[in-house]
Amino acid sequence: ILEDTEGSDSFLPTAKFESLVEEIGEGFHGDELDKQLALVDPDGSEKITSGAFVKWYCSLVNEEGDESSQESEIAEEKANAEEAFDALSEGSTKILASDFGKLIESMGTTYCEEEHRRTIKKISSLDESSGDKVVTKKAFVDWYVDWLFGDGDESDDESIEEESDSGEQSP
């Protein structure tokens, strides 16, 4: 498909880019096609070199692989969290906050009362019918997935909470 031009790098006219991506099973159209074309021909030469194409395609495949791999891991951990919660709660949508440690340990994670105190405070609520402090399945699963895969900004929230708990102001 790529043409050889007198010993220089082979190239493809940009007009044939859409056909090429369809041929390899990608099928970009409209604005997305224009965006991908700008990535493979950034200087607007209207020629796509084989080197630029290979680099673009490898990057595309790596991005797709990373996203689907993480999405798969997130789905798996979410299912694990739901299963552990259901086992402990015996099918209920909530557990007592005092059972949070049992839940964490049932998932193979070490429970530390000191480290998880703020987490429990953050994700628990007061059950109006019983007056008990409870953790709902949704709150736990959302927290757990974010704890595993989040960007780590929870520590910033905790230091702000610590300062407000102690009555000190942030600078």
Side-chain angles (χ1 to χ4, degrees), residues 30-49:
D31 290 343
E32 187 59 31
L33 178 67
D34 293 341
K35 179 182 168 189
Q36 297 302 320
L37 185 56
L39 292 172
V40 78
D41 180 28
D43 61 359
S45 69
E46 296 190 13
K47 293 180 179 178
I48 302 168
T49 65

Side-chain angles (χ1 to χ4, degrees), residues 16-31:
K16 294 185 178 180
F17 183 64
E18 184 173 12
S19 301
L20 180 59
V21 295
E22 283 181 11
E23 187 85 23
I24 61 173
E26 291 301 330
F28 295 110
H29 302 282
D31 290 343

Side-chain angles (χ1 to χ4, degrees), residues 89-145:
S89 70
E90 298 176 347
S92 175
T93 59
K94 56 192 168 200
I95 62 167
L96 292 172
S98 58
D99 287 339
F100 182 83
K102 291 178 194 171
L103 178 58
I104 286 292
E105 289 179 346
S106 76
M107 299 186 68
T109 301
T110 303
Y111 174 71
C112 174
E113 185 177 345
E114 185 177 317
E115 293 207 13
H116 288 108
R117 184 179 316 130
R118 282 188 186 80
T119 300
I120 295 169
K121 186 176 179 182
K122 181 179 174 182
I123 67 171
S124 65
S125 57
L126 194 60
D127 184 302
E128 292 180 19
S129 61
S130 67
D132 293 327
K133 213 173 187 181
V134 296
V135 175
T136 65
K137 180 177 178 178
K138 180 180 180 354
F140 173 74
V141 171
D142 290 349
W143 167 81
Y144 185 73
V145 169

Side-chain angles (χ1 to χ4, degrees), residues 39-75:
L39 292 172
V40 78
D41 180 28
D43 61 359
S45 69
E46 296 190 13
K47 293 180 179 178
I48 302 168
T49 65
S50 60
F53 180 80
V54 169
K55 182 178 176 184
W56 166 81
Y57 187 69
C58 288
S59 176
L60 180 72
V61 170
N62 285 338
E63 282 177 18
E64 288 176 355
D66 290 347
E67 286 175 21
S68 64
S69 173
Q70 183 163 0
E71 287 171 12
S72 160
E73 287 179 40
I74 289 171

